[in-house]
Amino acid sequence: MRARPSGLAAVSALVYLFLYAPILVLVAFSFNAGRLSAEWTGFTLDWYARAARNPQILAALRNSLRVAFTATALATAIGTAAAVAFHRYRFRRQPALDGLVTLPIVVPEIVMASSLLLLFAGLRLRLGFLTVVLAHVGFCVSYAVVVVRARLSGFDRSLEEAAADLGARPARAFFRVTLPLIAPGVLAAALLVFSLSIDDYVITSFVAGVGSTTLPIQIYSMVKSGVSPEINAVSTLLLVATSLLLWTASRLEQGRRGWGTALPVAAALGLLGAPFVLGRGPSGSEERVLNLYIWSNYIAPETIRKFEQRQRARVNVDLYDSNEAILAKVQAGNAGYDVICPSNYVIQILQRQGLLRPLDRSALPHLENADPRFLDRDFDRGNRFSIPYVWGTTGIGYVKSKTGKVDSWGALWDPRFRGRILMLDDGREALGAALKWKGGSYNTTDPAAIRAAQQLLVQQKPLVRAYNSSNFEDILLSRDVWLAQGWNGQLAKAIEADPDLDYVVPREGSGMFIDSLAIPAGAPHPALAHAFIDFTLEAEVAAEICRTMRYSTTNRAALPLLPESIRRSSAIFPPDGVLERTETIQDIGEATLLYDRAWTEVKTSR
Ligand code: N2P
């Protein structure tokens, strides 16, 4: 026997540590009593219990299971049939066919995702359960074929022929002889497909509509509004369940079976089903549903819950962090949203394309509460399609003790702050900062000016720690950055939590936005959508939205209900002098392409 090279064990330990440390941390912190994942404060199972009571998580889990079971049945059946056909017959150009069947395994997921979306849009299929299942079957069949074929390679065809000689028809021979013999392979394929389906994020995120949010999508959307230990708990369950399934699949492929196979599968399904037993399962009855698509950090769960109780309805909330995301979803069509919340210029674009539904004034009695300063604006004269929700400014949040007073966009290019700068992950905003700094406009259509802004951002890149539009305020609070371009509401929240932070609308001027609620043309529940918009116009509700999110309210009646601290905050309600130097982002038509191109160049430059 050869001696084991010394140090090998240590090296392998390191490799395994590298591979598994993140997962172990996640699992460990799912049992941590503290909310901040940074330190251990004691053991608890509470996050599991909470996850089991969280209706959004339960709904997502139920969707994931429905999709996974359906996709598994279909993909395994199709895959098995294909594998048997390949085994039984030789086709012309067999190698090419083999390649084509396995190709989807190596096609980049993102390519598969966007081509599926295109296909469904072309077929005018509404995005939802059906499209998700079709997509999953699409990417899983290849795996099923590969696994079943492996099993078939050891299969003795003379058994099937013997059955035929004894008078069995092909179907009977298949079900009585072939299938039982290859059953372990088929089962292994099914387990693999199930775990691929239940895990998938990229493809699902493209082809899911509202109401078909699966667990991975739900987890990601929760991460965007801050990592809570509940997510760690759900992720741990998902991780353990899929590992058990994959482990069993590989045992089956090696020809092992018995209790060692049945138990882990039962355990995995038990884990996935447990939340329904522990928590109050979601009611299966056909309820009234509102599908809301809104910016992250724009509405508190309590506010949603109030509306649900009042209307005896359920609200599905999906979150986004850029106007581009909402444009893409609504333009792709048929996403099934009832209420969306785009910025001013996006309302204009969508309305011009006929993608918004005219509002019914008689269903909006609380419109009288709205602040007239935000009504009848250029992006929607007469408010035929949209009702203002909140407004705000773009500026810089910064750590006073580290940077001193900041009042210019130039601070974001200051080499002293290398690695301590965060920019919004948003082309119009990031380019806008560069344009403003040099005395230009957010809305210039001059190609040379846009190119110059692009160059500034490329030069700035080595100083930038992160591009982030979702939780930039957390990153500032944690001191990972000292300067963050961001939107005022979230930064105002951070300032209240930490007096060493401040917010400024730079002296060169900046952006101001009015984000409005609107109903997409194809919204499935327009009546409930109107009820929701009217609900947000109630003085108390509008005040709650401002209190919890710190974005400035567009509701006049809500102002007196706000605490002094908010009314006085210059980050939340900037004085007129500040507003005078802001401008709104406009729809600039064709020139949008120049911005898109410039931003892509910035993001991909090194
Ligand atoms: C909230 C983002 C503010 C929207 N997360 C800017 N239009």
Side-chain angles (χ1 to χ4, degrees), residues 55 280 368 379 410 498:
R280 178 181 50 88
E368 62 186 32
F379 59 88
D498 181 344

Side-chain angles (χ1 to χ4, degrees), residues 212-261:
S212 55
T213 299
T214 59
L215 199 53
I217 296 190
Q218 180 63 30
I219 291 176
Y220 183 59
S221 110
M222 289 171 72
V223 169
K224 278 197 275 184
S225 35
V227 178
S228 111
E230 249 176 87
I231 303 175
N232 300 342
V234 184
S235 307
T236 303
L237 281 182
L238 195 58
L239 185 80
V240 174
T242 44
S243 314
L244 281 171
L245 292 176
L246 288 175
W247 180 64
T248 316
S250 82
R251 279 178 59 99
L252 279 169
E253 279 178 82
Q254 293 158 13
R256 302 205 260 166
R257 36 176 131 179
W259 280 113
T261 317

Side-chain angles (χ1 to χ4, degrees), residues 295-298 321 323 343 469-470 487 490 513 515 551:
W295 293 91
S296 60
N297 295 300
Y298 249 25
D321 286 308
N323 279 305
S343 295
S469 303
S470 50
W487 293 303
Q490 285 153 265
F513 53 86
D515 292 350
Y551 280 99

Side-chain angles (χ1 to χ4, degrees), residues 121 124 126 293 323-342 345-359 380 384-386 517-524 526:
R124 306 222 173 285
R126 157 163 292 186
Y293 194 38
N323 279 305
E324 283 70 35
I326 193 165
L327 267 173
K329 267 276 178 202
V330 178
Q331 288 173 337
N334 283 333
Y337 293 112
D338 295 305
V339 175
I340 55 177
C341 183
Y345 70 102
V346 177
I347 294 279
Q348 205 174 350
I349 299 177
L350 292 174
Q351 180 251 314
R352 203 167 331 111
Q353 296 174 344
L355 295 171
L356 297 181
R357 181 188 170 104
L359 295 174
D380 182 17
R384 288 176 46 231
F385 297 96
S386 67
L517 298 180
I519 307 181

